[in-house]
């Protein structure tokens, strides 16, 4: 993610910019068919979870839940496209 995309992500998610960034966990609700993004402040924890499947993340680890997934493609006009 580029610095501009990070700032735009923080603005769109209504989160403060932090030096270490955020970990993003992309989820899918099979019951409702909805996509969501769980934002966590612990980037190392998010990396660890990225190597796992079927893990339930404790609520206290989640900084914010966002409905949908942001577009993280560097060539995208907006992370919220």
């Amino acid at each position: 993610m580029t610095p501009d995309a990070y700032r735009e992500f923080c603005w769109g998610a209504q989160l403060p910019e932090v030096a270490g960034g955020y970990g993003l966990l992309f989820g899918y609700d099979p019951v409702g068919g909805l996509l969501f993004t769980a934002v966590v402040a612990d980037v190392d924890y998010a990396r660890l979870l990225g190597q796992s499947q079927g893990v339930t993340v404790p609520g206290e680890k989640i900084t914010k839940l966002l409905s949908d997934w942001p577009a993280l493609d560097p060539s995208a006009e907006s992370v919220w496209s």
Side-chain angles (χ1 to χ4, degrees):
M1 183 180 289
T2 67
D4 287 340
Y6 176 66
R7 282 191 287 281
E8 186 180 351
F9 171 79
C10 289
W11 173 82
Q14 299 178 344
L15 291 167
E17 292 179 37
V18 294
Y22 295 98
L24 303 179
L25 305 171
F26 303 116
Y28 172 73
D29 174 8
V31 176
L34 301 174
L35 303 174
F36 65 90
T37 302
V39 180
V40 297
D42 187 341
V43 176
D44 290 330
Y45 181 74
R47 283 188 187 120
L48 178 66
L49 289 178
Q51 301 169 9
S52 307
Q53 291 184 3
V55 177
T56 300
V57 179
E60 63 269 9
K61 285 287 199 181
I62 298 172
T63 302
K64 187 166 192 168
L65 278 176
L66 306 172
S67 59
D68 212 351
W69 293 352
L72 300 178
D73 179 355
S75 64
E77 286 187 36
S78 167
V79 297
W80 300 106
S81 56

